[in-house]
Amino acid sequence: MDKVPPMPLTRRSLFLSAPALSLANSLSAFPARATTWPDRPVRLIVSFTPGGTTDIIARLVGSHLSERWGQPVVIENRPGAGGNIGTEFAIRSAPDGYTLLVGSNGPLAVNQSLYRNLSYDARKDVAPVTLLADVPNALVVPSGSPLWSVGDIVEQAKRAPGRLSYGSTGIGTASHLAGALLDQMAGIQTIHIPYRGALALNDLLSRRLNYMFATIPSVMEQIRGGALRALAVSSLKRSRSLPEVPTMIEAGYPGFNASAWFGVVAPAATPPEIIAKIAADAAAAVRDPIIERQMIEQGADPIGNSPAEFKAYIASEVPRWAEIVRKSGATVD
């Protein structure tokens, strides 16, 4: 539903400046190769379908990296099992820097507790590279809805428990867990209706649903066109894409945080020299004025941090989402 934005046509330098690496302490072939990496195409695995938020971000960043590295950066979509199929494929690939994953909080944090038999541990089996962007969920209602604020939703839900319904893109997705978190924090009872992917938005627009938490990129067009009204965003601070929309915290729910996030990771044994180069170049991509503007227009807040910072962030996100999943009662075999 959300469309891949046009790629910028400007050309950047293809000159590759080799990092100043010392080989004095290692005879390993990997550091030696890091000075010439990449010398062939690089794959960016996206564990969701084309046209979604992960895909949009991957293509924007991949376009920049291709020009920067002078090598094709190929986006390869491997959807399925809530992002687990593509994630596992990427992290089980050769740790040489030529297969990377643009991952999200779903497979890298939420799924760690949502899936009972997950075959990987995001805290051990990946080498975090950089957090590319934070993408808040927007709490949206149809334009003709009588609900004008989060307070209206809570008031009506308390007046008629089990009457209001919200949709999601599936059990355990960010849109589901954001709705469950509101139920938990407000002490209300609503009906959760899970859908496959973007189908929930169709029912929201036709007013078969009362509201929905949806990633900003997936509803930006409808918000701008007036078909949907954004009541709040799920991030800790206001979105750069919708600066006029208050946060759930401002709406009276301290600590409410149910944003999606997207970052680059590699297989765990990838040489640190290569990780450092990818991190620096990917962070530079999201700070490029053209890429930054396009990401904000699509609903993403660019970040670009260090591998150590991203590693610490993933480590903090796994238990935080585990608690939300536990309280929601959601499980997937």
Side-chain angles (χ1 to χ4, degrees):
M1 180 175 46
D2 40 284
K3 299 178 180 179
V4 178
M7 295 297 107
L9 298 179
T10 56
R11 295 290 297 172
R12 302 177 186 86
S13 170
L14 298 182
F15 176 76
L16 302 179
S17 58
L21 301 176
S22 172
L23 305 182
N25 297 324
S26 175
L27 296 178
S28 166
F30 277 126
R33 289 180 60 188
T35 61
T36 58
W37 182 96
D39 57 10
R40 55 189 170 89
V42 176
R43 289 192 298 181
L44 272 185
I45 304 299
V46 172
S47 55
F48 297 96
T49 54
T53 304
T54 314
D55 188 71
I56 290 172
I57 292 174
R59 291 179 190 278
L60 282 169
V61 173
S63 174
H64 178 103
L65 293 178
S66 181
E67 293 192 10
R68 190 177 186 93
W69 292 340
Q71 293 289 344
V73 174
V74 181
I75 308 300
E76 188 172 313
N77 298 88
R78 288 179 172 261
N84 295 337
I85 291 176
T87 299
E88 182 169 9
F89 173 83
I91 65 178
R92 303 301 184 207
S93 298
D96 54 11
Y98 289 96
T99 301
L100 308 171
L101 171 76
V102 176
S104 65
N105 60 307
L108 295 178
V110 177
N111 292 0
Q112 301 297 299
S113 55
L114 179 66
Y115 283 77
R116 292 173 178 167
N117 300 304
L118 199 62
S119 60
Y120 63 89
D121 187 335
R123 292 164 293 186
K124 299 177 181 179
D125 297 334
V126 307
V129 178
T130 187
L131 180 62
L132 295 172
D134 181 75
V135 180
N137 281 284
L139 174 53
V140 291
V141 298
S143 59
S145 171
L147 303 170
W148 288 87
S149 68
V150 179
D152 286 347
I153 292 176
V154 173
E155 180 182 354
Q156 186 166 327
K158 288 185 174 180
R159 189 166 58 243
R163 291 287 299 276
L164 288 184
S165 63
Y166 72 93
S168 78
T169 53
I171 293 174
T173 59
S175 57
H176 168 210
L177 296 178
L181 184 59
L182 176 58
D183 280 3
Q184 295 165 21
M185 296 184 74
I188 58 176
Q189 180 184 347
T190 62
I191 300 173
H192 167 232
I193 303 178
Y195 290 76
R196 290 181 63 86
L199 296 177
L201 184 56
N202 295 332
D203 275 4
L204 180 65
L205 290 167
S206 61
R207 302 184 67 175
R208 295 188 183 94
L209 297 170
N210 296 112
Y211 64 94
M212 180 178 175
F213 281 92
T215 57
I216 293 177
S218 69
V219 292
M220 180 66 84
E221 183 177 341
Q222 288 78 12
I223 292 173
R224 287 174 176 160
L228 293 177
R229 190 166 62 243
L231 306 184
V233 293
S234 66
S235 47
L236 294 175
K237 59 183 181 180
R238 292 195 180 199
S239 168
R240 294 171 67 183
S241 307
L242 296 172
E244 72 284 359
V245 178
T247 65
M248 289 292 295
I249 296 171
E250 291 175 287
Y253 297 92
F256 194 105
N257 180 16
S259 291
W261 48 259
F262 303 85
V264 179
V265 300
T270 304
E273 297 86 356
I274 293 179
I275 293 293
K277 175 171 176 53
I278 300 169
D281 292 345
V286 299
R287 296 187 186 114
D288 177 275
I290 296 174
I291 304 296
E292 181 181 42
R293 184 179 69 253
Q294 288 186 320
M295 290 180 74
I296 293 171
E297 288 175 350
Q298 287 293 315
D301 293 335
I303 298 177
N305 61 6
S306 71
E309 289 170 329
F310 191 22
K311 181 178 181 178
Y313 186 67
I314 292 174
S316 69
E317 282 286 275
V318 171
R320 188 178 75 80
W321 282 105
E323 181 65 9
I324 297 173
V325 169
R326 183 187 68 79
K327 289 182 177 179
S328 76
T331 59
V332 179
D333 292 327

